[in-house]
Amino acid sequence: MGLRYLSLALLTEGLSDQWFLLPLIDRQVEALESESASGFDFGGTAPGGCFTVAPREQVVQEVEMLLDHMDIVIIHHDHNERGKIDSVRERLSHAADRIIGIVPVRETEAWMLADHTTLPAGPASVVQGFVRSPREVEKVVDPKKALAEAFGPRHRPEYDFDRLGQRASLRVLGQIPAYDRWVGDLRTAMERLRFL
């Protein structure tokens, strides 16, 4: 008998979140595979067909459609929009345990600051000056501005954020409480579905 195939979809607030989160989620799932007794196949996280800032009904319809084809749907929102994830779960209560929220305390960009070794060498000191540990990144008042300062004038978010998602240390990110909570929720969903 072959390995089971795990399928995941991600809906984000916008493209910059998607650029960072897609490769990061793929890496985290691959790391969790080591906890699987029988293993599983995973071909990567699929981006959803709308952003979570779309009208609520459109988001619900998109998640419902994705749940027909995917094992788990991950919904991203920044902290001030957490209620939207709960609302989608309530509307789709028959599959609520397959809907996972990924909710940074402030913004996704704060997580990008956690592993200073992935930031450009010179300007990374800008970030190190006010972020002494990964746990502190979610206290940064304006993470988007801090990232722009770290990358400087040649900042190209579509490349820079994707690269951060590919390279940021999962161990370092795991020190951020909101990230660790998301990994725990993902692990629980994968256990329920018997992937772990």
Side-chain angles (χ1 to χ4, degrees):
M1 185 168 137
L3 295 177
R4 289 178 58 206
Y5 186 82
L6 173 66
S7 57
L8 282 141
L10 170 68
L11 274 72
T12 59
E13 282 190 340
L15 276 175
S16 64
D17 303 303
Q18 187 171 296
W19 294 326
F20 174 69
L21 291 173
L22 281 173
L24 181 65
I25 290 169
D26 290 351
R27 291 176 53 232
Q28 188 62 66
V29 169
E30 290 166 5
L32 288 172
E33 185 180 11
S34 67
E35 300 176 22
S36 176
S38 58
F40 56 85
D41 279 333
F42 176 65
T45 306
C50 73
F51 293 114
T52 57
V53 293
R56 182 87 39 102
E57 188 58 35
Q58 183 180 349
V59 173
V60 169
Q61 289 173 0
E62 177 71 9
V63 172
E64 187 171 38
M65 186 273 303
L66 288 168
L67 287 167
D68 287 341
H69 306 282
M70 301 288 179
D71 295 306
I72 298 171
V73 175
I74 300 170
I75 302 175
H76 161 263
H77 270 298
D78 291 334
H79 72 99
N80 58 341
E81 301 287 344
R82 174 143 192 105
K84 289 183 179 180
I85 296 169
D86 295 333
S87 171
V88 171
R89 282 189 185 124
E90 287 172 17
R91 294 276 306 277
L92 303 173
S93 60
H94 64 283
D97 59 342
R98 295 173 42 220
I99 302 169
I100 306 299
I102 187 166
V103 185
V105 167
R106 194 171 296 279
E107 298 172 330
T108 307
E109 286 80 2
W111 290 3
M112 297 179 204
L113 299 170
D115 185 355
H116 64 86
T117 66
T118 61
L119 297 171
S125 61
V126 170
V127 175
Q128 289 175 300
F130 57 87
V131 178
R132 290 183 299 278
S133 79
R135 293 183 66 83
E136 294 181 4
V137 296
E138 294 200 317
K139 295 177 183 175
V140 175
V141 177
D142 191 347
K144 290 178 182 174
K145 180 180 177 187
L147 270 176
E149 288 176 18
F151 279 100
R154 294 184 180 217
H155 179 42
R156 296 179 63 192
E158 66 273 22
Y159 298 108
D160 297 335
F161 294 175
D162 179 77
R163 186 180 59 76
L164 291 173
Q166 291 177 38
R167 296 183 181 170
S169 165
L170 299 179
R171 184 188 58 74
V172 169
L173 289 165
Q175 296 174 48
I176 304 170
Y179 185 87
D180 188 54
R181 186 171 32 260
W182 168 72
V183 172
D185 291 346
L186 178 61
R187 179 181 286 113
T188 298
M190 291 173 69
E191 287 170 351
R192 280 193 201 114
L193 294 170
R194 301 187 187 271
F195 284 100
L196 298 179

